[in-house]
Amino acid sequence: MTVSEESRDREVRAAQNQSLFREINERIKDLNEGFSLVLASGEWVCECANETCTERISMSAQEYEAIRSAGVRFFVAPGEEHVWPDVEGVTKRYDRYWVVEKIGHSGEMAREAAPRSGQGSPE
């Protein structure tokens, strides 16, 4: 396999993994909405590209929705080990989580897999 093919495979794997975690969090969102009158924030699954990651992130529904406004954005636990710089860039860093945006082919795949239609980058 060439370097180019390996790079493309890594982009595909990252987009697929993160899209799966996004789908899980969309279901968690529905559960969290039921408790929103009682709890100010919910617990979410880290959306990093590592399929074995089990980190949990606490954030409000408003924070979650702000990230979901773009199909190429995901939230990850804070730390470089949760970022794949060859397929994404960190756009915001908070104490509890970082926001990453997919780039290149990985970004195209993430946008296409977004469960909410018409999601691109708002910039």
Side-chain angles (χ1 to χ4, degrees):
M1 184 178 290
T2 68
V3 172
S4 176
E5 289 172 327
E6 286 179 22
S7 177
R8 184 85 163 180
D9 286 348
R10 185 169 163 86
E11 287 182 31
V12 168
R13 188 170 66 249
Q16 289 172 337
N17 292 347
Q18 287 179 292
S19 294
L20 173 63
F21 288 129
R22 177 173 49 201
E23 285 291 328
I24 292 167
N25 280 324
E26 282 291 296
R27 293 188 180 131
I28 291 172
K29 173 186 168 282
D30 295 337
L31 293 172
N32 284 341
E33 284 176 348
F35 294 101
S36 64
L37 296 175
V38 189
L39 301 172
S41 65
E43 189 170 275
W44 310 87
V45 177
C46 176
E47 295 179 338
C48 74
N50 180 354
E51 73 253 6
T52 63
C53 181
T54 59
E55 294 283 331
R56 299 292 183 262
I57 297 168
S58 177
M59 73 172 63
S60 70
Q62 293 80 15
E63 290 171 311
Y64 178 79
E65 288 301 325
I67 296 163
R68 284 289 88 90
S69 69
V72 295
R73 291 195 183 141
F74 297 88
F75 55 89
V76 300
E80 297 299 329
E81 67 274 16
H82 295 279
V83 178
W84 290 17
D86 55 327
V87 297
E88 62 199 4
V90 177
T91 60
K92 296 190 191 260
R93 294 174 194 254
Y94 301 103
D95 291 339
R96 292 174 285 120
Y97 63 92
W98 291 356
V99 178
V100 297
E101 187 167 315
K102 307 305 284 177
I103 55 176
H105 181 66
S106 188
E108 293 169 20
M109 289 185 63
R111 188 178 297 108
E112 289 171 10
R116 302 175 188 188
S117 63
Q119 290 189 340
S121 179
E123 278 88 46

